[in-house]
Amino acid sequence: MIRISYLMLTALFSSAVIASSVPSTDTILINANIYQHPNADSLAINNGIITRIGKTIDLEALATDDTDIIDLNQATILPGFIDNHNHVFEAASEVGGQCELPDYASLADQIPYLEACKASFNTKDWLIGYGFSLTSILENNTDTPLEVLDRIFPNQPVIIMEQTSHSMWVNSVALTLAGINQHSPDPKGGRILKQTATNKLNGILLDNAGDIVMDLAWNSLSNRFQQSYDGLLLGLEHVASNGITTIGDGRMYWKRGWYDVWQKAEDDQTLTARLSLRPWIYPSFPMAEQLAFLKQIFSDDPTRLLLVDQVKMYSDGIIINGTSKTLNPYIKTYLANDPYGINYIAPKEMQTWLTSLNDIGYSAHIHAIGDGAVQESLNAIEYVRKQGSLKPYTLTHVELVAKQDIPRFALLNVTADFQVGSEYVAFNDHNWAVPFLGQQRANAMMNPRAILDTEANVTLSSDWNVHDLNPLVGISNSLKMKHLGFETVEQAIDAYTINAAQSLGIEHITGSITIGKSADLAIIDQDITRLPTQKIPSANVIMTLLQGQVVFDIED
């Protein structure tokens, strides 16, 4: 791309002297392919707002000596991508990275990695790690995961997050600090796993049971604020380089001090994306205490980059834990007493939550994976709709949906948010789910097309770092899914832009290249609407603009 001075531009077009009455313009992007504007090749921006879309020869009269004119050399301008479900806060942070384990190694094969972690982090402080597969360390082993960790770490508290973040592997020191023993009751939304024969703990905490211990570990860190802040800024750099200008926060654990970090970034003016922060609804803490905090931090001020007007709630867990809520029982599960999975927040309680949240201005982004959780969540939204709520609600993941619930997304004006940024999703390879659900239910997983065909709002997101951060990968994969995915690339682009803006309730601010909207733009070196599906991820983001300001430039 080429930045052109005003004098060069006026010489190029032999223009008359610009009259002083012409409104000022900060930036003009010229010589571009503008998405959904086939008759235009230039775009003008002033004070962060798109002011004109048209031909260069017409927009030249808006330029002044201070106007930044950028020749894009036929690059494509897309609306800035909106990643509706992204864990940017923790994805790039060093917190949790003290011990990184291979994802699918057996329990015995994990031992050398654990010993290496101890050698490099031999203190009495909490060791927080990441990376293992629940199935791999629970099956076909003589020892339990607890016994292995206790031998290597007899005196230091250890917690290791499984790759999906829905289970934690802990040692006895960590359990003692958390006040958990073999007689402890399961917390709401979580399960404390035990050996079947002896009823003794095996070191695995599912879902909210693990989150409670992670709260202790995270809050014990002496430099947690700076590590979190540095990780956030690094994550935002990755986001900007992928053309993402707005993020729907995956979850904000406010009891870990995360809101303070976000506020600091806003105060320092280091945010390079608009954020819809979603405070986490804790299943085990009193509702009144949480509502008081949520009321205190609420903000729907469109002039801020930080919006706090949606919460993150979990209806259920995940399939491989047996904690996803299903309408039919699991074939295989670690939870013999919960053959249909579990709820983080019970159906009646979710109705109460949504009603109380609506009263103080909040909508909700609800994790619902199993068909039981999807149905219960839709029921709760239907309840609050009947009370008069018009707020945008979203169910995210929606991996299993009962046929009778598919039309309810459109009827209740509920967004369905999907993550398709991994190859196994693109090719409908859900064999991992067959032992838990059977072949028929596994084949029915992840069907955006069924909901899209009802004219419901459907979005794509990354769930970074669970899936690839790059929206172009998600767009390509959604087309590879054939009868389960999108029919056109335009539908996929909408799912990552205007549809996501609607899910966040900010479609009047961003999500499309429209005069009067924020100049949130992703500039791509190729026109992805003309590329073969498999080639779309090979396109490169060369520049990202947020409110008219360049937050990423490939040439820098």
Side-chain angles (χ1 to χ4, degrees), residues 439-457:
Q439 192 69 60
Q440 183 175 358
R441 283 191 286 175
N443 289 344
M445 291 177 65
M446 300 293 289
N447 190 346
R449 175 78 68 85
I451 297 175
L452 186 71
D453 284 347
T454 69
E455 299 186 357
N457 194 47

Side-chain angles (χ1 to χ4, degrees), residues 53 117 161 176 204 218 237 248 250 261 347 415 433 448 469 480 486 492 514:
I53 303 168
C117 291
M161 179 186 289
T176 299
I204 299 297
W218 195 292
E237 287 182 18
V261 180
T415 297
L469 175 62
K480 292 178 182 176
F486 294 117
T514 304

Side-chain angles (χ1 to χ4, degrees), residues 94-95 98 218 220-229:
E94 290 184 2
V95 180
Q98 298 156 339
W218 195 292
S220 75
L221 300 172
S222 58
N223 61 342
R224 63 175 177 142
F225 185 93
Q226 193 60 48
Q227 283 193 67
S228 295
Y229 188 83

Side-chain angles (χ1 to χ4, degrees), residues 285-307:
F285 285 100
M287 183 182 295
E289 174 188 336
Q290 298 194 64
L291 290 172
F293 176 77
L294 294 172
K295 189 173 183 179
Q296 174 188 335
I297 67 171
F298 176 84
S299 176
D300 59 358
D301 181 356
T303 66
R304 293 182 63 187
L305 285 177
L306 286 186
L307 299 172

